[in-house]
């Protein structure tokens, strides 16, 4: 065994000793990286490290060479420092996930979700907003709604503060009005990753919206098209905006809004999990933003209120909220409604997502 191999083995042994010391002290998060850096620094100068290495070489029956020993030590030290810094940086990176539970409880920190999303479990810091017991499948009133809105506001503000310098992610299975409402407090948040759950038969797993592949860009995706009534009532003070992405909102479901102009944003072939990339989400978000802030604004100069009904995934809900939050004092009042299939009417209640009545409960 030559002296170069002995030097490398000695470095590993010394690293192990420092690692053990850090573990005893309880510095669990940076123990390995600190140990690697410590050994690397130690190999730059004569000290315990050099004495230890030379003693190891001599005990192995070899003569400690002067020149090669020095250069090999410097090279090993430099490489160990680089590896230690990289490892430490990697350890410090956190994936902060805001997960809203309002209808169904599914945690990103579960082993199956971690596997689906290919995340490092030690990096995931999940914050859950759970109001399932209070929401009770839509059996709520103004008082309970107030409690839910306060919880969302407080928890989202705390989350955005944590995610300022880290990776911010959003997911959730909560009523659309509340995910939109949550988004209004994220207008300046560093939320750049979105996780969606594919519950279709044969799938049933989480996936992340990634950058569109070359194939996805070439094939394209369904366009979100806007359509206005054939005869627009320019004097309308209230209209309905129906957004169909996950499912097409039927005329029957919109019957309760008789007498109001209905503006539609819809995909041909709307279906669950149709959004697969960040570019697709960004395109749909821009279409919705322009529809609310330009198209509707131009066609309805007397408008005071928008009744928003939507069949959309959580990623679209929260980005709508972020857009509204950025223009909180410039948008007309917007009420987002929750769909209950068994109720009559199906859009039984909603909440204001902006304006002076923000968070207020309204029942039809």
């Amino acid at each position: 065994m030559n002296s170069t191999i002995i030097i490398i083995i000695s470095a590993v042994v010394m690293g192990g000793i420092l690692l053990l010391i850090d573990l005893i002290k309880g510095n669990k998060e940076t123990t390995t990286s600190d140990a690697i850096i410590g050994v690397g620094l130690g190999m730059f100068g004569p000290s315990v490290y050099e004495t230890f290495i030379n003693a190891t070489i001599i005990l192995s029956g070899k003569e400690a060479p002067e020149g090669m020993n020095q250069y090999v030590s410097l090279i090993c030290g430099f490489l160990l420092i680089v590896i230690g810094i990289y490892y430490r940086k990697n350890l410090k990176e956190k994936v902060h996930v805001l997960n809203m539970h309002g209808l169904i409880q599914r945690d990103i920190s579960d082993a199956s979700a971690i596997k689906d999303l290919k995340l490092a479990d030690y990096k995931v810091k999940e914050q859950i907003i759970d109001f399932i017991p209070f929401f009770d499948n839509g059996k709520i009133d103004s008082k309970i709604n107030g409690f839910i809105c306060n919880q969302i506001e407080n928890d989202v503000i705390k989350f955005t503060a944590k995610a300022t310098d880290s990776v911010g992610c959003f997911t959730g299975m909560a009523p659309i009005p509340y995910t939109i409402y949550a988004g209004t407090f994220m207008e300046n948040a560093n939320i750049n990753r979105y996780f969606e759950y594919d519950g279709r038969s044969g799938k049933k797993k989480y996936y992340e919206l990634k950058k569109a592949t070359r194939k996805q860009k070439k094939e394209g995706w369904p366009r979100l098209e806007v359509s206005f009534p054939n005869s627009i009532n320019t004097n309308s003070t209230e209209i309905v905006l129906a957004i169909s992405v996950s499912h097409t909102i039927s005329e029957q479901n919109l019957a309760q809004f008789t007498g109001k102009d209905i503006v539609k944003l819809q995909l041909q072939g709307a279906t669950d999990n149709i959004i697969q990339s960040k570019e697709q989400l960004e395109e749909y978000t821009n279409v919705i933003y322009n529809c609310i802030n330009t198209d509707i604004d131009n066609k309805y100069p007397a408008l005071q209120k928008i009744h928003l009904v939507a069949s959309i995934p959580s990623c679209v809900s929260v980005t709508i909220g972020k857009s509204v939050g950025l223009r909180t004092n410039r948008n007309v009042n917007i009420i987002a409604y929750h769909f209950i299939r068994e109720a009559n009417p199906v859009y039984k209640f909603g909440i204001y997502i902006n304006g002076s009545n923000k968070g207020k409960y309204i029942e039809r």
Side-chain angles (χ1 to χ4, degrees):
M1 184 163 54
N2 61 40
S3 58
T4 302
I5 296 174
I6 292 174
I7 290 173
I8 295 171
I9 293 174
S10 299
V12 172
V13 172
M14 290 299 293
I17 293 171
L18 285 177
L19 177 62
L20 182 62
I21 292 171
D22 269 355
L23 284 172
I24 293 172
K25 289 181 178 180
N27 303 324
K28 295 181 180 180
E29 192 157 292
T30 58
T31 48
T32 304
S33 59
D34 286 351
I36 294 172
I37 293 171
V39 173
L41 289 171
M43 295 185 77
F44 275 88
S47 61
V48 176
Y49 294 94
E50 188 174 343
T51 304
F52 180 81
I53 291 170
N54 286 332
T56 305
I57 293 174
I58 293 169
L59 287 174
S60 68
K62 306 286 184 180
E63 184 177 346
E66 296 180 2
M68 186 185 74
N69 187 4
Q70 178 184 1
Y71 291 120
V72 172
S73 294
L74 290 174
I75 293 170
C76 287
F78 177 76
L79 290 175
L80 286 170
I81 291 171
V82 172
I83 292 170
I85 291 172
Y86 173 79
Y87 188 56
R88 186 183 182 90
K89 181 177 180 295
N90 190 56
L91 276 175
K92 284 190 172 183
E93 288 179 350
K94 300 300 178 187
V95 179
H96 289 276
V97 182
L98 180 62
N99 190 352
M100 290 183 66
H101 293 170
L103 298 170
I104 301 174
Q105 180 177 342
R106 286 197 176 93
D107 296 344
I108 293 297
S109 56
D110 285 348
S112 58
I114 292 288
K115 182 179 178 181
D116 292 341
L117 296 167
K118 297 180 175 60
L119 299 173
D121 57 354
Y122 66 89
K123 289 186 177 183
V124 175
K125 299 293 182 182
E126 183 176 21
Q127 181 175 328
I128 296 172
I129 303 177
D130 186 357
F131 53 88
I132 292 176
F134 303 99
F135 186 71
D136 193 21
N137 291 316
K139 300 173 185 176
I140 66 171
D141 54 25
S142 180
K143 183 177 180 180
I144 295 174
N145 172 75
F147 174 83
I148 293 173
C149 287
N150 285 336
Q151 180 186 358
I152 290 172
E153 179 179 357
N154 293 332
D155 287 352
V156 170
I157 290 173
K158 290 176 184 176
F159 174 79
T160 54
K162 292 177 185 176
T164 300
D165 299 320
S166 303
V167 177
C169 314
F170 181 82
T171 189
M173 293 189 181
I176 288 170
Y178 293 116
T179 49
I180 295 177
Y181 184 76
T184 64
F185 299 103
M186 300 184 198
E187 67 274 19
N188 297 314
N190 183 30
I191 308 295
N192 49 28
R193 296 176 70 177
Y194 299 91
F195 304 143
E196 292 291 333
Y197 185 77
D198 191 341
R200 293 174 293 181
S201 177
K203 299 283 186 179
K204 299 189 183 305
K205 65 177 184 179
Y206 273 101
Y207 68 95
E208 180 178 355
L209 300 189
K210 298 282 192 178
K211 187 176 180 180
T213 63
R214 186 177 299 177
K215 181 180 179 182
Q216 287 174 324
K217 289 179 180 179
K218 183 178 179 180
E219 293 179 352
W221 42 75
R223 301 303 174 194
L224 189 60
E225 304 286 351
V226 59
S227 63
F228 286 86
N230 293 328
S231 179
I232 295 175
N233 181 3
T234 57
N235 294 320
S236 295
T237 58
E238 299 184 22
I239 66 163
V240 177
L241 175 60
I243 307 175
S244 301
V245 174
S246 299
H247 299 281
T248 300
I249 300 173
S250 68
E251 296 294 333
Q252 181 181 354
N253 290 339
L254 294 171
Q256 70 186 82
F257 298 104
T258 301
K260 294 181 176 62
D261 276 14
I262 297 176
V263 180
K264 296 180 180 179
L265 275 169
Q266 55 188 3
L267 294 178
Q268 291 299 320
T271 186
D272 286 324
N273 306 110
I274 197 167
I275 299 178
Q276 294 290 318
S277 69
K278 288 184 176 180
E279 287 87 346
Q280 189 179 2
L281 172 62
E282 183 179 1
E283 179 181 307
Y284 293 169
T285 301
N286 288 337
V287 170
I288 295 169
Y289 179 89
N290 290 331
C291 178
I292 293 174
N293 297 296
T294 303
D295 300 338
I296 290 177
D297 196 46
N298 289 338
K299 293 181 184 298
Y300 295 96
L303 191 65
Q304 297 176 14
K305 188 180 296 181
I306 295 175
H307 299 272
L308 175 62
V309 297
S311 177
I312 51 180
S314 63
C315 58
V316 176
S317 296
V318 76
T319 53
I320 289 175
K322 289 174 72 174
S323 297
V324 171
L326 286 168
R327 294 179 57 90
T328 189
N329 296 318
R330 288 177 283 174
N331 283 124
V332 298
N333 288 321
I334 302 174
I335 304 171
Y337 289 86
H338 176 62
F339 177 80
I340 304 176
R341 189 181 303 277
E342 299 79 15
N344 186 19
V346 291
Y347 294 105
K348 185 180 178 182
F349 75 89
I351 62 171
Y352 282 85
I353 59 172
N354 67 337
S356 60
N357 289 319
K358 185 174 180 179
K360 181 181 178 181
Y361 175 88
I362 181 171
E363 190 167 317
R364 296 186 64 84

